[in-house]
Amino acid sequence: MKNNEKTELEPRVLIISNNPFSKTDNNGKTLASFFKSFNADNIAQLYFKSEKPTEDFFKNYFQVSDISMLKSIFNRKIKSGVCVNANRIKTSNKNSNESIFISSLKRIIIKSNVIRLIRELIWRVGSWESEELINWIDGVSPEIVFFCAGDSEFPYRITNRLAERFKSKLVIYITDDYILPRKTLNAFWGIRRNRVLNNIKSILEISDLFFTVSKKMSDV
């Protein structure tokens, strides 16, 4: 089916994920490939990373980042998200102005379990459900919410809230092992693991369908 063909048979799908669609990033490429046969007008993506999508087949994106959430705590007038202009999508996911030092610092921070727990607090205190986001999703009016589940808590709450708001069918995609026990002395990892496990259990109970990358993971 061509991108500009209209059809009433295809559902309107809202994808919720950490990474935006991409032509270069592995997670973004895999996710985008699932929907390439759809009419692009029926696909929208809400994502949480501080980067721009590089997949220009799709045109409807909304970004809510950690930085925007942090700013919203100190000033409620600041928008906690932004609609991404599809006409300005870059050809690369890497910010040309981002130094190697900043990139390395980001990787260190994202691996810190203490900072990850602080991040969850920011998303609880901050206001993600902005007027701009709700208006954008009202325009999408999703019949299906497709959630790429990960190892952060806040996207589960957001997914649950939006699927409930629109009475949408809920599809869960689990890509990795976030919940199996591991031998570690890091108590903060154990706290995060248990919290993510509880979120996965809860959202699978209300999901209409879920995918994993292997039968073993599906059985677990």
Side-chain angles (χ1 to χ4, degrees), residues 3 38 49 87 92 114 118 140-142 145 190 198:
N3 182 36
F38 282 63
K49 263 205 167 180
N87 295 323
S92 171
V114 175
I118 294 173
V140 175
S141 189
V145 172
N198 290 334

Side-chain angles (χ1 to χ4, degrees), residues 2-218:
K2 295 180 180 179
N3 182 36
N4 59 357
E5 290 182 355
K6 302 296 182 183
T7 176
E8 296 181 357
L9 298 179
E10 288 188 12
R12 297 181 300 277
V13 184
L14 171 65
I15 294 91
I16 301 178
S17 62
N18 186 49
N19 301 86
F21 290 147
S22 174
K23 290 183 177 180
T24 55
D25 179 74
N26 286 338
N27 289 334
K29 282 197 300 183
T30 299
L31 200 54
S33 69
F34 294 162
F35 301 97
K36 276 295 188 73
S37 63
F38 282 63
N39 182 349
D41 292 338
N42 291 336
I43 303 298
Q45 185 181 37
L46 168 64
Y47 69 94
F48 308 115
K49 263 205 167 180
S50 298
E51 60 186 42
K52 295 292 181 68
T54 60
E55 178 52 76
D56 54 4
F57 177 81
F58 307 100
K59 303 296 183 184
N60 205 1
Y61 298 94
F62 198 98
Q63 177 200 68
V64 184
S65 67
D66 294 332
I67 295 298
S68 65
M69 286 296 295
L70 186 59
K71 290 179 178 178
S72 74
I73 293 175
F74 298 101
N75 187 345
R76 292 292 179 176
K77 294 182 179 180
I78 295 178
K79 297 179 182 178
S80 57
V82 61
C83 186
V84 178
N85 189 333
N87 295 323
R88 295 181 180 178
I89 289 176
K90 299 177 181 180
T91 57
S92 171
N93 261 351
K94 302 298 182 182
N95 186 336
S96 58
N97 295 322
E98 186 175 275
S99 68
I100 296 176
F101 172 76
I102 295 298
S103 298
S104 301
L105 186 60
K106 284 183 178 180
R107 286 194 291 268
I108 292 172
I109 289 174
I110 205 66
K111 289 182 179 180
S112 168
N113 288 289
V114 175
I115 293 179
R116 294 290 295 275
L117 289 171
I118 294 173
R119 180 193 189 204
E120 295 295 345
L121 179 61
I122 291 172
W123 279 84
R124 282 188 177 276
V125 176
S127 178
W128 64 266
E129 201 169 358
S130 65
E131 181 180 352
E132 290 78 15
L133 175 59
I134 296 305
N135 288 340
W136 178 79
I137 297 180
D138 282 343
V140 175
S141 189
E143 297 165 282
I144 295 175
V145 172
F146 183 100
F147 174 46
C148 186
D151 63 346
S152 297
E153 294 177 61
F154 68 87
Y156 291 86
R157 295 194 302 274
I158 293 174
T159 297
N160 192 6
R161 170 77 179 90
L162 296 180
E164 184 181 74
R165 175 185 174 90
F166 291 95
K167 309 301 179 187
S168 308
K169 296 291 185 181
L170 180 58
V171 179
I172 310 299
Y173 175 47
I174 302 175
T175 63
D176 208 342
D177 162 27
Y178 303 115
I179 58 173
L180 292 181
R182 299 174 190 172
K183 293 181 179 180
T184 177
L185 296 177
N186 192 321
F188 294 106
W189 182 88
I191 293 171
R192 288 191 57 246
R193 179 256 178 187
N194 289 336
R195 294 172 73 98
V196 170
L197 173 59
N198 290 334
N199 275 281
I200 289 179
K201 286 180 177 179
S202 296
I203 206 163
L204 286 181
E205 288 178 358
I206 63 172
S207 68
D208 296 281
L209 189 65
F210 79 93
F211 296 96
T212 60
V213 296
S214 70
K215 184 179 184 304
K216 182 178 181 180
M217 186 184 294
S218 181

